Amino acid sequence: MRPPPDPAALDDLDLLDPRLHAVHDLTPLWRRLRATDPVRRHDRFWSVTRHADVLRVVRDPDTYTSLRGNMLRTLLRGHDPGAGRMIVVTDGPRHAVLRRLLTPGFGPRALGPVTRSITEATKDLLAAFVAGGGGDFVGQVAAQVPLRAICELLGVPERDRQRVLELTAQAMLGEEEADLSARIAQSEILLYYTRLAAERQTSPGDDVISLLVSADLTEEEVLLNCYNLIIGGDETARLAMAGGLLALATHDAQWARLRGDPALVAPATEEILRWTTPAAHVGRVATRTAELGGRRIEAGDVLALWTASANRDETVFDDPDRFDVARQPNRHLTFGHGPHFCLGAQLARAEIQALLSELRATVSRIELTGPVTWLPSSFVNGVVTLPVALT
């Protein structure tokens, strides 16, 4: 497991350094900031680490906007090129329009067949994984299920799915789109969806792309939102599934509790989402002078809302550094809150629940078989490789 940073160095850590997040468990840092400096000023941004302060910001898009972007590195470079056109970086009336447009694509009617497909895919992938003697759980299972689900929601034809899965995996290798191979893959994904959107204009279906092309959106808005859905729709579930399996592998008593009680699948899913917190932070920019946590925030100031810290807040979660598959209540902020609450939350939950249910039914022992590696990213939190054997 990742060691904590040197206690003497906590005040000097560079939170923008992607290697810091890959090498160290920052739990002690978040604990100190919540206790002593919950709204902390850095050279170019504020760190917000308490649950209540994060909630206050995300509930107030008029004062703290996402219109310039929602990732710290992007905000410090200037602004997100998709701002005002892509749902996650849009506020106000335009955001409401995009959300109303996309919501049916993630409703019960649309998710019913996808959920059934998820269950079957999870069963098949786990069976193959066990039969093959194990391997890298991230690449062989956790990366496959959510991408297949998103491909179904977007109406990607079966013949194209393997290539789309490969491109999407490649697109997420770089830190904040800095890696050349990741940028090339991102461009190829956009080109693919350009062609698919053109097909949907003449032959619409029941998928999300058909919803987008049938609305009053520009071609660029359609493409940006497709890209956001397939990238964002993969990350939370993939990283939560992998991190959840790692947590079960390293907490034998909790795995035994889950195996013994099917009623724990739902609360265990929420605990995995809290424990893993795949999006370590979300970014906002102040539109006017405001007070937050006793500090004066000026118009134009950049804020990093550290969800990874808020999900361990002692004032909200009892014994927050304990992994507890029966934890209730569990008011985690993994899916955000307020206007930007994740559209795909129910899909991600269905994917994790399908995994836990199948693990309970077919696996007795989870054993780590090699070193675990972590993503070098200040934005996305999770494991890159997870070598395990399932008995």
Side-chain angles (χ1 to χ4, degrees), residues 114-115 117-118 144-155 161 165 233 347 351:
V114 176
T115 300
S117 177
I118 288 168
Q144 300 298 317
V145 174
L147 284 178
R148 291 185 186 191
I150 289 295
C151 282
E152 290 199 24
L153 280 176
L154 293 176
R161 289 186 183 179
L165 299 184
L347 177 61
E351 291 163 349

Side-chain angles (χ1 to χ4, degrees), residues 248 251-261 264 325:
L248 293 171
H251 295 80
D252 292 339
Q254 296 301 312
W255 170 229
R257 290 179 73 191
L258 179 61
R259 285 189 64 215
D261 187 355
L264 290 179
V325 296

